[in-house]
């Protein structure tokens, strides 16, 4: 932090700095995040059972650009591995990680609860139930060209959150967030019970269900990426636009209302956006745990609590974290793949503990 | 223009009526203190004017009913300083005060240079300039109270509602905060409505006092008219001496000795 202070301009001479102490995106951290993401993605593309050199990767990447097209001498087999397997997988990892971390930060702001994450209102339980139903009773089916499993996962996640919201509304009228969170807990417990029952009674699909629940980024080509991208772009854009309002919510519902901001409306829009994005990535990648909690908290511990800073940096570092976790997941026990959720928790928890211990506990 | 008018206002939480049949008008530029024993409904009235609690009857600011205003419109007309404002840990004073510009921003809007200038001026005015970058949780009680007032002033609303402005402050800080509010009132023509439990301070700073007991208005008028020894014995059950100060001002001194009931019996 000392070093950072030296790099940032003195507040007095910045043209926009009429006031001291306003939250600003620390460009050094943002730059570090961008470099880390790029590095993680390059590493993710390079690592795999077939050795492909950096030179080949660069050649394959620039080949579609007309100016460089003629210069490519890459082996078509390797090019195919890169374009249809590794690059889409790494991109999907970045998209999923960015979404989960951004949604986590958004939930924490909307509920003013540091333990909130995209799964709080039952999104994970709903997705698991939907996917389990599809795997157990309609394996291999597709609807208009889309595999039914992610579709069922998406519907399950959205249904669970909508159910929690409706229940919270009837019980407490959404006057406070506790009612909503309790409704989410109840819905999640109910969905988990049904899911476990189906999982146990359909023993032939238990392994497949289990692997789905722990999360994976297996994708054939760009279909997965293209499927989630529209949801993620809209969701992240809406959350980014709410940065100021999420900061305002931190003074509490009543005071924010007296400032002319409807806490209920902000919360509803942010929760819908974060849930839709989460449901989309969970549908493709399974319920990868922990990213929505540790990434925003690490950012908070390192650079401060304003959502104007936490959200954009969570996006960058969430993407980086998941790309790295996926690379580890597919190399640690190669040729077998470990579930990525195991890696995010296994690496994430100790890292988070180190960050917590090395910064002041008061910053929590 | 910025007078506040309440007509037949009733406020109820669940089914419990806390304020009923309230008629009260506060002129533009006037300081009205709401006084009364604990639970009299002072805070509820402020909350109703800021539309933070449901009410029946009519509350108007100028010619416009509060009920017909949008949330932002209302926040541009009425600013409220809560009794115990929530101060988010880690937030800087300048960021906190800048929140007061919210009613002037569009939903997705961002504070501009003009908003920063308003806040910088207010911080200077309230001697908070030096503390702009300081975290709220590192402020003293008096500084926190000033930060809360600064945020309300950043709304640039002509009506200022203040709930127990001095409850957690020492006598020096109490005076400082009240002088500040009164200075701003005089300078900017603010209409001030303050819930106050300290009768001596209310009797010196407010132009008029409205005495509430169990949700009903029992007396309204100048400090001299409302702060009488029998009235205070009657409604607060306290034995006091009321002194005249600075012309219209009144100081209320509690006298040790008799139990409230005994005092009541001695009254004519």
């Amino acid at each position: 932090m000392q070093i950072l202070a030296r790099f940032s301009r003195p507040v007095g001479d910045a043209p926009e700095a009429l006031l001291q102490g306003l939250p600003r995106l620390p460009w050094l951290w943002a730059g570090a995040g961008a470099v880390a993401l790029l590095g993680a993605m390059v590493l993710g593309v390079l690592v795999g059972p077939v050795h492909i050199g950096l030179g080949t990767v660069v050649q394959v990447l620039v080949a579609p650009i007309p100016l460089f097209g003629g210069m490519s001498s890459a082996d078509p087999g390797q090019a195919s591995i890169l374009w249809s397997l590794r690059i889409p997988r790494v991109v999907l990892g970045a998209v999923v990680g960015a979404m989960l971390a951004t949604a986590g930060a958004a939930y924490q702001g909307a509920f003013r609860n540091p333990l909130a994450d995209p799964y709080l209102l039952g999104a994970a339980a709903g997705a698991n139930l939907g996917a389990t139903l599809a795997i157990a009773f309609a394996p291999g089916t597709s609807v208009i060209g889309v595999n039914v499993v992610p579709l069922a996962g998406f519907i399950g996640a959205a249904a669970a959150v909508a159910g929690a919201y409706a229940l919270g509304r009837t019980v407490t009228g959404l006057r406070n967030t506790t009612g909503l969170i309790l409704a989410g807990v109840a819905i999640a417990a109910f969905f988990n019970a049904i899911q476990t029952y189906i999982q146990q009674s359909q023993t032939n699909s238990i392994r497949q269900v289990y692997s789905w629940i722990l999360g994976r980024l297996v994708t054939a080509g760009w279909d997965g990426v293209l499927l989630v991208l529209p949801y993620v772009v809209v969701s992240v854009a809406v959350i980014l636009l709410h940065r100021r309002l999420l900061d305002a919510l931190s003074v509490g519902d009543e005071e924010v209302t007296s400032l002319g901001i409807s806490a209920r409306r902000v919360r509803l829009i942010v929760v819908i956006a974060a849930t839709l994005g989460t449901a989309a990535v969970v549908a493709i990648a399974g319920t990868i745990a922990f990213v929505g909690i540790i990434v925003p908290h690490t950012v908070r511990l390192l650079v401060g609590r304003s959502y104007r800073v936490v959200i954009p940096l969570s996006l960058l570092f969430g993407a980086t974290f998941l790309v790295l976790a996926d690379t580890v997941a597919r190399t640690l026990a190669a040729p077998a793949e470990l579930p990525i959720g195991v890696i995010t928790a296994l690496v994430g928890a100790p890292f988070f503990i180190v960050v917590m211990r090395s910064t002041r506990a008061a910053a929590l | 223009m910025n007078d506040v008018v309440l007509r037949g206002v009733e406020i109820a939480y669940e089914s419990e009526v806390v304020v009923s049949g309230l008629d009260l008008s506060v002129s533009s530029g006037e300081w009205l203190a709401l006084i009364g024993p604990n639970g009299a409904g002072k805070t509820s009235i402020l909350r109703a004017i800021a539309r933070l609690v449901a009410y029946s009857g009519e509350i108007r600011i100028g010619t416009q009913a509060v009920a017909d205003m949008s949330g932002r419109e209302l926040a541009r007309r009425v600013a409220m300083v809560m009794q115990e404002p929530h101060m988010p840990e880690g937030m800087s004073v300048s960021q906190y005060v800048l929140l007061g510009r919210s009613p002037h921003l569009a939903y997705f809007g961002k504070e501009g240079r003009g908003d920063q200038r308003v806040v910088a001026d207010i911080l200077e005015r309230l001697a908070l300039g030096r503390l702009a970058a300081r975290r709220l949780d590192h402020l003293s009680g008096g500084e926190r109270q000033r930060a809360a007032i600064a945020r309300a002033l950043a709304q640039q609303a002509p009506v200022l509602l203040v709930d127990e402005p001095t409850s957690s402050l020492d006598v020096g800080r109490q005076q400082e905060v009240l002088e500040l509010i009164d200075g701003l009132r005089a300078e900017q023509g603010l209409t001030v409505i303050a819930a106050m439990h300290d009768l001596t301070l209310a009797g010196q700073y407010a132009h008029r006092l409205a005495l509430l007991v169990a949700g009903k208005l029992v007396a309204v008028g100048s400090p001299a008219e409302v702060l009488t020894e029998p009235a205070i014995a009657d409604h607060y059950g306290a034995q006091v001496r009321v002194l005249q100060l600075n012309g219209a001002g009144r100081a209320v001194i509690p006298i040790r000795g008799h139990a409230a009931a005994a005092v009541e019996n001695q009254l004519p």
Side-chain angles (χ1 to χ4, degrees):
Chain A
M1 296 307 286
Q2 292 298 321
I3 301 162
L4 279 179
R6 264 192 279 133
F7 276 93
S8 57
R9 276 191 295 179
V11 186
D13 67 6
E16 74 278 17
L18 208 57
L19 276 174
Q20 293 188 9
L22 293 184
R24 288 204 184 80
L25 188 66
W27 290 109
L28 202 70
W29 279 108
V35 170
L37 177 57
L38 196 70
M41 290 178 84
V42 168
L43 186 70
V45 169
L46 287 177
V47 171
V50 177
H51 173 78
I52 301 177
L54 186 59
T56 313
V57 172
V58 173
Q59 277 185 8
V60 167
L61 279 177
V62 299
I65 304 170
L67 195 63
F68 300 99
M71 293 158 62
S72 174
S73 59
D75 169 20
Q78 291 192 338
S80 163
I81 290 177
L82 286 175
W83 271 123
S84 57
L85 292 176
R86 292 203 195 157
I87 298 173
R89 180 169 183 152
V90 164
V91 171
L92 184 66
V95 169
V96 170
M99 185 68 246
L100 290 176
T102 308
Y107 263 76
Q108 286 143 28
F111 290 101
R112 294 201 293 131
N113 184 334
L115 292 177
D117 84 339
Y119 304 149
L120 182 74
L121 298 183
N128 286 345
L129 177 59
T132 304
L133 283 170
I135 293 167
F137 299 114
T141 331
S142 56
V143 180
I144 24 169
V146 179
N147 188 330
V148 80
V149 175
L151 200 65
F154 180 82
I155 294 170
V161 175
Y165 220 91
L167 182 63
R169 201 188 170 96
T170 50
V171 176
T172 63
L174 299 182
R175 272 191 308 275
N176 61 39
T177 55
T178 315
L180 192 53
I181 293 171
L182 286 176
V185 169
I187 294 269
F190 184 66
F191 276 35
N192 278 335
I194 301 176
Q195 190 271 332
T196 309
Y197 174 74
I198 295 169
Q199 184 183 316
Q200 297 301 325
S201 57
Q202 303 289 320
T203 43
N204 52 342
S205 58
I206 194 165
R207 201 184 156 83
Q208 217 185 329
V209 167
Y210 197 58
S211 126
W212 195 90
I213 285 173
L214 286 171
R216 72 272 164 275
L217 290 172
V218 179
T219 168
W222 292 87
D223 288 359
V225 177
L226 294 177
L227 211 59
V228 297
L229 206 57
Y231 294 98
V232 170
V233 167
V234 172
S235 168
V236 167
V238 170
I239 293 169
L240 279 170
L241 284 169
H242 278 84
R243 282 171 296 166
R244 174 181 75 85
L245 294 164
L246 286 172
D247 272 347
L249 279 194
S250 63
V251 298
D253 280 18
E254 186 159 83
E255 288 189 57
V256 90
T257 306
S258 80
L259 292 170
I261 297 169
S262 164
R264 219 177 279 189
R265 180 163 53 158
V266 172
R267 190 171 295 126
L268 184 65
I269 297 174
V270 169
V271 165
I272 288 176
T275 302
L276 272 185
T278 302
V281 298
V282 161
I284 289 291
T287 48
I288 300 169
F290 219 40
V291 182
I293 300 269
I294 62 158
V295 174
H297 276 297
T298 306
V299 170
R300 224 170 258 133
L301 289 167
L302 294 173
V303 294
R305 297 180 205 210
S306 168
Y307 286 96
R308 301 181 204 224
V309 175
V310 170
I311 288 176
L313 289 186
S314 294
L315 189 149
L316 272 179
F317 286 108
T320 310
F321 178 57
L322 209 65
V323 170
L324 287 177
D326 181 50
T327 308
V328 174
R330 61 199 161 87
T331 48
L332 211 59
E337 271 190 31
L338 291 173
I340 190 168
V342 171
I343 304 297
T344 53
L346 211 61
V347 178
F351 175 69
F352 190 51
I353 290 167
V354 169
V355 173
M356 253 186 344
R357 285 182 59 94
S358 61
T359 50
R360 285 175 308 124
L364 279 176
Chain B
M1 174 65 185
N2 291 311
D3 50 331
V4 181
V5 179
L6 295 90
R7 287 274 167 270
V9 169
E10 179 172 309
I11 305 167
Y13 296 109
E14 308 291 329
S15 57
E16 192 196 344
V17 178
V18 291
V19 172
S20 61
L22 179 70
D23 293 312
L24 197 60
S25 0
V26 191
S27 334
S28 207
E30 182 184 22
W31 180 323
L32 177 104
L34 299 170
I35 60 167
N38 291 339
K42 307 185 288 285
T43 300
S44 296
I45 294 169
L46 296 181
R47 285 161 51 87
I49 299 171
R51 222 174 57 193
L52 296 174
V53 62
Y55 63 88
S56 59
E58 193 190 8
I59 301 179
R60 278 189 291 117
I61 294 166
T63 54
Q64 213 180 349
V66 162
D68 298 337
M69 296 183 199
S70 73
R72 273 176 69 207
E73 218 176 330
L74 180 61
R76 286 197 294 260
R77 306 287 294 275
V78 176
M80 180 158 175
V81 182
M82 308 275 173
Q83 182 174 3
E84 283 174 10
H86 181 74
M87 304 237 155
E89 238 178 90
M91 190 180 270
S92 71
V93 171
S94 58
Q95 196 194 350
Y96 180 73
V97 177
L98 201 58
L99 288 177
R101 298 304 295 161
S102 300
H104 299 274
L105 302 175
Y107 188 77
F108 287 136
K110 190 171 178 287
E111 305 90 346
R113 217 173 147 68
D115 300 302
Q116 289 195 26
R117 192 174 298 283
V118 169
V119 170
D121 286 348
I122 290 167
L123 291 181
E124 247 0 275
R125 178 84 175 75
L126 270 62
L128 286 168
R130 189 174 50 82
L131 303 177
R134 186 161 304 177
R135 286 169 53 145
L136 292 167
D137 40 322
H138 294 169
L139 298 181
S140 71
E143 289 163 348
R144 285 161 75 94
Q145 190 69 17
R146 271 189 287 149
I149 294 171
R151 196 191 77 190
L153 290 177
Q155 291 176 240
Q156 294 185 312
V159 177
L160 182 64
L161 309 177
V162 195
D163 195 1
E164 303 287 4
T166 57
S167 54
S168 58
L169 303 180
D170 65 55
V171 64
R173 268 7 82 201
Q174 289 182 352
Q175 220 163 33
E176 190 181 283
V177 163
L178 295 174
E179 286 295 338
L180 176 70
I181 294 173
D182 197 50
L184 293 161
R185 180 200 59 76
E187 179 189 299
Q188 301 174 14
L190 298 180
T191 307
V192 176
I193 306 178
M196 298 175 79
H197 72 253
D198 189 314
L199 299 177
T200 297
L201 293 174
Q204 289 185 71
Y205 284 92
H207 299 117
R208 283 193 306 146
L209 308 179
L211 173 60
L212 291 143
V213 178
K216 292 208 185 310
L217 187 65
V218 296
V220 60
S222 69
E225 288 163 338
V226 177
L227 293 180
T228 62
E229 287 166 15
I232 292 168
D234 239 12
H235 300 303
Y236 283 84
Q239 192 188 15
V240 298
R241 290 284 168 268
V242 175
L243 309 178
Q244 185 182 337
L245 290 174
N246 308 329
R250 288 291 182 275
V252 177
I253 318 282
I255 305 297
R256 186 183 168 182
H258 304 278
V263 176
E264 228 164 273
N265 292 337
Q266 288 167 14
L267 292 171

